[in-house]
Amino acid sequence: MEVIVNAAMSADGKLSSVRREQIDISGPADFDRVDGLRADADAVMVGIGTVLADDPHLTVKDPANVREREERGKPPHPARVIADSRARVPTDAAALDDLAATYALVTDAAPTDRIDAIERANAEVIRTGGDRVDLSAAFDRLAEHGIDRLLVEGGGELLYSVFDAGLVDTLSVYVGDLIIGGRNAPTLVDGEGFVDAFPELSLTDVERIDSGVLLTWAVSGSDRSPRRR
Ligand code: NAP
C-alpha cells in the first residue's frame, strides 16, 4: 500500500490553534490540490482527535473529480478511515454519513456497545492492537479491502504514529503565511517525539501555491539513523 501524508501547517509548524479550531492555512489553489489528492486515493484517514475537533466529511468536493473517479470505475468518494482506539466516534459524525464507505480502526479493548453503534451507523469496524490501534496490522487489513493508496491527513498524534511505524512513503506539507503559536497547539508531528532515530526525508519538490509553499518529501524506509549532536 502506498501511504501519502498531506497536511497544511503555519510557518511555525502548527496544524491548528490551541483551541484546536480549524484554521484556513492554505488558499483556493491548495484546496483544489488536496481535492485532487483525495480523488486519487482509495481512502482518506484521520485520527479521532480530528473528527472530534473538525467533524470533517473527508469527501471529494469538485464534481469534475468525482466524475473522473467514476469514469475510472471507482466509487464517487474515497473511503474514510478513522483511528479510534476506544470507538469514540459519534454516530452522527459527518465521516459516517452515507456518501462513502467508512472504516473505524479500534482496539480489542473498545467497548462492544460502541462498536455495535458504529456498525449500525454505516462504518466497518477493524479491531487491532491492545492500548492503541496497531497501524501496521490495520493497514494490512485495509489493503485486503482493496485500499492500495491511502491519504493520511492528520492530526499530529496520528502522524507521529504513522512515521514511527515506518508506514509513510510521501510527505507533502503546505506551509502557510501565518504564525499560530501556542505550546499546546497541535504541530505536524506530535506524539512522544523522536529522540535518536529520526525518520529521514528527501526533498523531491518545492512549489509556490497561493501565498505559501508546498514541500514534497520522499520518506526513507525503516532505516532510521541517529542524528544527535
Ligand atoms: P489526531 O491525530 O487527529 O487523533 C489522535 C487520536 O487518534 C489519538 O488521541 C488516539 O485517540 C487516536 N489513535 C488511535 N490509534 C492511534 C495511534 N496508533 N496513534 C496515534 N493516535 C491514535 O488528533 P490531534 O493530534 O489532536 O490533532 C487534531 C488537530 O489537528 C485538530 O485541531 C485539527 O484541526 C488539526 N488538523 C489539522 C490538519 C491540517 O492539515 N492543518 C489536518 C488534520 C488535523 P484514542 O486513543 O482515543 O483512539
Side-chain angles (χ1 to χ4, degrees), residues 5 57 144 174 190:
V5 167
H57 259 111
E144 288 166 13
Y174 182 87
D190 289 324

Side-chain angles (χ1 to χ4, degrees), residues 162-169 197-200 219-226:
V162 287
F163 279 106
D164 189 39
L167 294 169
V168 185
D169 298 298
F198 307 101
E200 299 265 347
V219 183
S220 309
S222 52
D223 182 23
R224 303 198 324 228
S225 48

Side-chain angles (χ1 to χ4, degrees), residues 6-10 14-17 19-23 25 45-54 82-88 105-107 131-135 153-162 174 186-188 190-191:
N6 181 77
M9 67 181 193
S10 59
K14 305 294 186 187
L15 295 184
S16 66
S17 75
R19 293 185 184 162
R20 292 188 131 64
E21 290 165 347
Q22 207 173 7
I23 292 173
I25 292 173
M45 179 176 191
V46 293
I48 184 65
T50 298
V51 171
L52 296 177
D54 302 343
I82 304 167
D84 182 17
S85 315
R86 292 170 280 162
R88 289 187 291 153
L105 311 181
V106 309
T107 62
D131 182 33
R132 270 200 164 170
V133 175
D134 177 337
L135 294 171
E153 295 196 355
E157 285 293 320
L158 176 63
L159 293 188
Y160 171 77
S161 294
V162 287
Y174 182 87
T187 69
L188 181 67
D190 289 324

